[in-house]
Amino acid sequence: AVPAWRLLSQRPEVLRARADRLLGLLAAQGLQARVAAVSGQVGGGAMPLAQLPSFACILKVEEPDVFLERLRGAEVPVIGRIADGEVLLDVRCLAEEEIGQVAEAVVGTARQESRP
């Protein structure tokens, strides 16, 4: 009943499956990505420093800062983060029905990046 609790209490195997689904959609469009275990920070309320295990699709792009800025400005904005020079798309806060829209936004942004 509480959306934040539902997001925070997801099982790792559910998150892994969601990340794998996103990876499959990206790979089908020719994007190079991989899935990896990550740790995310809750960052608010009663748990500002709490870390939660999750899974993310990781993209290696030329300019991660520019890529994320364009991704945030997509028709369906996507929020990611940068770690070790790569773009991480943590799936913890994505609903299953949003995965396709996120994949479309990522593919569209990647195509913008590849234009001369």
Side-chain angles (χ1 to χ4, degrees), residues 54-92:
S54 188
F55 286 89
C57 274
I58 300 177
L59 305 164
K60 189 163 189 76
V61 296
E62 289 291 320
E63 297 179 87
D65 292 330
V66 173
F67 188 87
L68 280 180
E69 183 178 328
R70 287 185 177 158
L71 201 52
R72 284 189 298 269
E75 185 175 328
V76 173
V78 176
I79 307 300
R81 68 181 190 266
I82 298 170
D84 298 325
E86 297 177 309
V87 173
L88 278 67
L89 302 175
D90 190 333
V91 299
R92 177 171 292 280

Side-chain angles (χ1 to χ4, degrees), residues 14-81:
V14 170
L15 296 170
R16 176 65 195 236
R18 192 174 303 139
D20 286 338
R21 181 166 173 241
L22 178 57
L23 175 66
L25 293 172
L26 297 177
Q29 295 297 316
L31 277 153
Q32 296 284 327
R34 70 182 193 283
V35 169
V38 296
S39 182
Q41 190 165 345
V42 176
M47 302 172 64
L49 301 177
Q51 298 280 318
L52 289 175
S54 188
F55 286 89
C57 274
I58 300 177
L59 305 164
K60 189 163 189 76
V61 296
E62 289 291 320
E63 297 179 87
D65 292 330
V66 173
F67 188 87
L68 280 180
E69 183 178 328
R70 287 185 177 158
L71 201 52
R72 284 189 298 269
E75 185 175 328
V76 173
V78 176
I79 307 300
R81 68 181 190 266

Side-chain angles (χ1 to χ4, degrees), residues 91-112:
V91 299
R92 177 171 292 280
C93 292
L94 290 178
E96 190 63 36
E97 60 272 10
E98 296 172 321
I99 297 295
Q101 293 176 316
V102 169
E104 287 178 22
V106 171
V107 168
T109 300
R111 288 185 177 145
Q112 284 179 355

